[in-house]
Structures are given as C-alpha cells and as structure tokens.
Amino acid sequence: MASMEPTASIDELARRFGITPDMVRRALGQLGKGGRRIDEVLKELVAQERTIACAADAPITDLGPGSLGAAVPQRFGKYEVLELLGRGGQGAVYRVRNVALGRIEVLKVLTSLGGESSDAHRRFVREARAVAQLRHRNILPLYEVGVEQGRPFYTMESFEGESLAAAMARTRTVPVRLALTIVRDAALGLAAAHLGGIVHRDVKPANLLLSRETGGKAGDREDLLSGPADGLRVAVVDFGLARMAGEESLTAESVAILGTAPYMAPEQILGEIRQVDARSDVWSLGVTAYALLTGTLPFAGDSLLEFQRHIPDDEPVRPSRLRRGIPRDVDAIVEKCLEKDRARRYQDAGELADDVDRWLAGDVVAARPAGRWLKTWRWARRRRHLVASVASTLAVSAVLVVWLALLPWVSARRAEARIEREKAEALAELENRLSRGEFSETIDLAGARAQAHPDLADACRVSRAKAYLGRAGERLAASEAGATADLAMAYDCAAGLDR
C-alpha cells in the first residue's frame, strides 16, 4: 500500500481511522522517528487505544479503519471491511465490499451489549423493518438483514456524498432555490415513509445525505451546496427512532423524549408521545429549511429545558427578516411547517413536497403567511392564563384611572350639593323662627345667612322685612318704643328688593 500523504486533513484522517484529531496529531509528532509512515503510526495508536472486551466482541471491535490496507482484509461474514464511517453508543457503520457481488455497500452493526429483549436490539430491528418496507429514490434501499456471530446487522446502498449538516458547516448561505429543492426531495422521501405508516421522529440535517449525480463531479463535497439544484440527490437515513403505525413504544420511549431537541415539534419535545405523527416530521423538516435559508435555528437554547420553553411558546423570526431576497411564499411555506397547532401544518410530507413543487414551478403556493393579528391571537391563546392575569390588571388599572379622572368632578358635585343643602336648611330655619315669633333672632340670622350665601340675599331680605313688621306689630300692641323704626327698616328691606 502506498504511504498516506502527511498533508492530508487531520479531520479526514481522524474520520477514516475512526479516532480523535488529537490522536492524529500525536501520530504526526512521531513521523520523524525512523522514517515511519503516517498510516503505520495511526494503526499502532488505534491498536493501543482499542482493547477487546471479550472474544464474542472480536468480530465487531476489530472492524474499523485500522485494518485499512492490511495484507489480509478483515471480514465480517461475507463482507470485506474498507473503512469506518461512524460509531455511536449502540452501533457502528462501515463501508464494506460484498465479496460475492463485488459491490460496495454500507454495513450497520449493533455493537451494544444486550439480548433480543433490550430496547437497543428492538430499535435496531425496528429500523431494519422500517427501511425494508420503503422503496424510494430519496431513501437508501436495504440489501440484506441478518445476524453474524451474534450481532444483528443490515446493509444498504453505499452513498457517495456527505450529510447536509457537514455541507452546511462549510456554507453560510444556500441559494433559495437549491435550499427548497433539498427540502422538497427530503419531503418526498419522508412522504414515502408516511404513506407506509412510518414516522421518522429524528429529521435533521445530520440524517439527510447529499450526493451530486449530475451537474458536477459525483461525490464532490465542495460543490454540494454551491452548484446547480439539478443532479443533486437527497437521501433520508437513520430510521432508528422511527415508529410504525399501531406499534407500541419501547420501554425507554414511554418515559423518555427521543429526538434532537432543536428540531423537535412542540408535541414531541413536551413528551406527548401519542401526538407525534407525520406532522411532527413536517415540523422538523421546516426547522431544517429555516436553517438552510437563514444559517440559524428558529429557536435558541442550550438545554432541553430551554427548548421545552421556547419551542411551544415563542414565534420564530420570519426568514426574510434575517436574509434579504427570500420570497414571501417561501416565508409562508416555512411558517406553515412551523405552526404550533398540528392541524394548521402540512398534514404530511407529501403536502409539503407538493407546495414546494408549486413554488419551484412558479405557481401559487397553498401556504399563506400569518398576519400580525393572527399571530397575536395565537400567542394569546397559548398564554391564556398570562393574558387573563394581564387583562385583570389592566381592567383594575383602567378603573383606577377613570376614578382619578372623575374625582375632581365628583368632589365639585358633592360641594355643590352640600351648599344647596345648607341654603335650603338656612331658609327653613328662617321660616321656622318667623312662625315661632322669634323676630329679633330672625333679623340677625337673615343678615348672617345673606353674607354666607349671597345668592340668598333677596330671600333673606324678605325674611328680615317680615321679621321687622312682626316686631313692629308687637311693639305697637305693647305701646313700646321702636315700632316706627321697625316699620322703616321693613320698608328699606322691601325697597332693596326692587333694586
């Protein structure tokens, strides 16, 4: 085997050999010792880092990039292992050669311990069953399902390309038409799954593979998100969390929230397992579309709890506000995918694909953008308890403001009523004193009341005139002095009325 180029990308070497970039750097530091080749150093480090737990694990743990270029290629059954593509907590994925057919395939093996009753084993089998039912250009076909040396496995088509997540990591913005084409093709693959009663439940860029078949060099990763939309193939992969219609949840799934938090629909991230259906996949694909168009996620968060707070309640910023040039109809398509109410979303991925096709063809789309008042109404419905509390506070505040505004008027009316009552009481008192023959007291009281209430001056003069006449009559009857003076004062009071 020819020696590997030392100038190869550290990340590429780490990926091919299934080790960390730090291990690659360690290997590069040993290149000068005895003229050793980079592949030799890397294989030695791999051997040092990996140990075999037990003999039963040997066929799996020995598989990997460390065997690349060995004189006798390592085998897994009838498959010759070429390289490790990825490894997770429960499984590993390899690029292999089917020796019998001479065909390059992808092999996925369950590596986690546990019997057939374990959730990991059941989920692996479920994924194989789900993919085996599907035949669509945008879903990688399954070739074989089996068990080799106690390990379940399946093989599928080898896909020359990379994940959408990896492509997006190199590209800040994606042309709108190309982004919508990717979404359409992914939706077509999901639509085939939905028609078969299968819900993916983990749609995200990492589970969408891209490959250029025409319009560029096949497998050219630099060209995937910058070349023409024609000739780009999209494949939906990793149905490990898929759920088939009528199937019971696994033990762990009945209490766990499965999926990738930033891409989960509200019903999924809140753990409403029975509410998760094809429309949940539509939401996840809508988040993917949002990220393709804007370079950011519609909902921010650093933890599951934060996403559980933001996704069900917050409204995302319209894509066209984050990136100029996004058409209004594209905004409407993405917003329809991200409707909080499942009934207002596309009902399955097929409806989404049809609407995107309309936009790509220049036709009118079915989605309509939500207006500001509609968004406000939906926001209020989701926060009805908060809105009720705020409404109560505003109502109390409004009553208080009105009361404060009316207080001067009310005070003035009360003062006027009090004055009118005092005047009425004053006149009644004068009449009572006259009727009791208290003429002298009436004369004094009438003068005081006239000064206190000038508008009662005439009424007080009348009372004084009556009182002077009454006292004059008493003095004449008693032959007392002063009767003439009282008559004169009564005359003056009466004369004042004319003035």
Side-chain angles (χ1 to χ4, degrees):
M1 166 182 156
S3 64
M4 300 181 62
E5 292 294 334
T7 56
S9 165
I10 289 178
D11 290 338
E12 178 68 9
L13 289 173
R15 185 190 66 78
R16 292 181 63 185
F17 280 79
I19 58 179
T20 66
D22 286 340
M23 290 177 64
V24 176
R25 295 187 183 94
R26 285 167 53 193
L28 292 174
Q30 298 179 25
L31 282 180
K33 300 178 181 180
R36 303 172 68 191
R37 298 179 305 179
I38 181 64
D39 58 325
E40 295 175 345
V41 177
L42 286 173
K43 283 190 283 186
E44 180 179 318
L45 287 175
V46 169
Q48 293 173 356
E49 292 290 333
R50 294 180 181 173
T51 58
I52 301 176
C54 61
D57 289 337
I60 304 300
T61 56
D62 282 348
L63 294 176
S67 64
L68 194 61
V72 180
Q74 290 187 333
R75 299 278 288 268
F76 181 76
K78 65 181 179 181
Y79 299 100
E80 174 189 350
V81 178
L82 302 178
E83 66 173 321
L84 174 70
L85 298 178
R87 185 187 297 274
Q90 298 177 338
V93 181
Y94 301 91
R95 192 181 307 279
V96 298
R97 177 181 289 108
N98 186 319
V99 177
L101 300 177
R103 180 174 62 191
I104 303 299
E105 301 175 6
V106 170
L107 167 72
K108 184 168 184 178
V109 185
L110 179 65
T111 59
S112 65
L113 299 177
E116 295 184 3
S117 61
S118 69
D119 276 356
H121 186 280
R122 293 171 61 190
R123 188 176 293 120
F124 187 90
V125 173
R126 180 173 63 182
E127 178 180 10
R129 289 174 53 201
V131 178
Q133 296 180 30
L134 304 176
R135 291 290 183 272
H136 195 274
R137 178 179 182 275
N138 300 112
I139 297 177
L140 296 186
L142 200 68
Y143 290 151
E144 181 180 5
V145 179
V147 177
E148 180 69 26
Q149 298 187 13
R151 298 293 187 180
F153 76 92
Y154 64 78
T155 60
M156 60 175 56
E157 175 188 341
S158 178
F159 194 87
E160 293 295 332
E162 67 176 341
S163 72
L164 176 58
M168 290 170 63
R170 297 193 308 271
T171 307
R172 172 113 180 122
T173 57
V174 180
V176 175
R177 189 171 188 84
L178 177 58
L180 268 290
T181 301
I182 292 172
V183 171
R184 188 271 315 275
D185 290 350
L188 289 173
L190 287 172
H194 294 165
L195 285 174
I198 298 172
V199 181
H200 190 285
R201 298 200 297 180
D202 196 22
V203 178
K204 58 184 177 181
N207 288 336
L208 301 177
L209 300 185
L210 302 181
S211 178
R212 187 163 292 285
E213 298 177 327
T214 61
K217 183 179 178 181
D220 186 356
R221 298 182 177 182
E222 298 299 329
D223 190 47
L224 289 174
L225 295 182
S226 59
D230 295 337
L232 189 67
R233 182 185 176 190
V234 180
V236 182
V237 297
D238 198 348
F239 283 77
L241 297 184
R243 184 178 182 185
M244 288 176 274
E247 182 183 50
E248 291 297 324
S249 296
L250 301 185
T251 304
E253 292 177 5
S254 63
V255 295
I257 296 176
L258 300 178
T260 305
Y263 296 88
M264 288 186 191
E267 62 275 8
Q268 188 174 0
I269 201 164
L270 293 178
E272 299 171 355
I273 303 300
R274 297 184 181 277
Q275 301 299 318
V276 176
D277 56 19
R279 293 168 292 186
S280 306
D281 283 349
V282 168
W283 171 286
S284 300
L285 193 53
V287 175
T288 300
Y290 193 102
L292 270 172
L293 292 167
T294 66
T296 187
L297 291 169
F299 306 98
D302 295 322
S303 67
L304 177 63
L305 289 177
E306 289 188 10
F307 283 113
Q308 284 178 325
R309 184 172 69 253
H310 294 308
I311 288 177
D313 293 333
D314 294 352
E315 288 291 343
V317 178
R318 185 166 287 173
S320 59
R321 295 184 59 184
L322 298 177
R323 176 184 172 188
R324 291 184 178 180
I326 294 180
R328 179 180 175 85
D329 282 350
V330 173
D331 273 342
I333 290 172
V334 175
E335 288 180 353
K336 188 173 180 64
C337 291
L338 299 181
E339 285 282 359
K340 311 290 186 186
D341 182 357
R342 296 182 306 155
R344 299 185 65 88
R345 291 179 215 156
Y346 296 106
Q347 295 304 288
D348 55 42
E351 284 192 11
L352 170 59
D354 290 343
D355 219 14
V356 175
D357 258 338
R358 293 187 192 97
W359 183 82
L360 292 173
D363 296 334
V364 178
V365 301
R368 299 264 56 90
R372 181 173 300 176
W373 288 110
L374 180 57
K375 285 186 174 182
T376 301
W377 170 248
R378 293 176 187 170
W379 180 91
R381 280 204 313 170
R382 290 194 301 274
R383 296 173 172 84
R384 55 176 59 91
H385 298 299
L386 175 61
V387 170
S389 177
V390 172
S392 299
T393 302
L394 290 176
V396 172
S397 300
V399 170
L400 181 60
V401 168
V402 171
W403 171 251
L404 292 175
L406 292 177
L407 185 59
W409 181 85
V410 172
S411 298
R413 300 290 80 76
R414 287 180 175 177
E416 291 176 0
R418 188 188 72 255
I419 292 172
E420 292 298 324
R421 186 172 60 253
E422 290 176 352
K423 291 193 294 185
E425 290 174 353
L427 293 177
E429 186 178 5
L430 291 175
E431 290 297 326
N432 288 335
R433 289 185 179 274
L434 284 173
S435 64
R436 292 197 299 267
E438 299 174 356
F439 302 121
S440 296
E441 291 81 352
T442 300
I443 293 171
D444 295 336
L445 185 60
R449 294 292 184 266
Q451 290 181 351
H453 304 288
D455 54 337
L456 293 181
D458 287 345
C460 289
R461 284 194 181 94
V462 171
S463 296
R464 289 181 67 195
K466 290 180 179 179
Y468 278 124
L469 288 175
R471 193 171 66 178
E474 287 182 345
R475 287 179 174 176
L476 287 174
S479 301
E480 293 180 358
T484 302
D486 285 341
L487 292 172
M489 292 301 295
Y491 176 79
D492 288 340
C493 290
L497 292 173
D498 296 335
R499 294 195 296 268

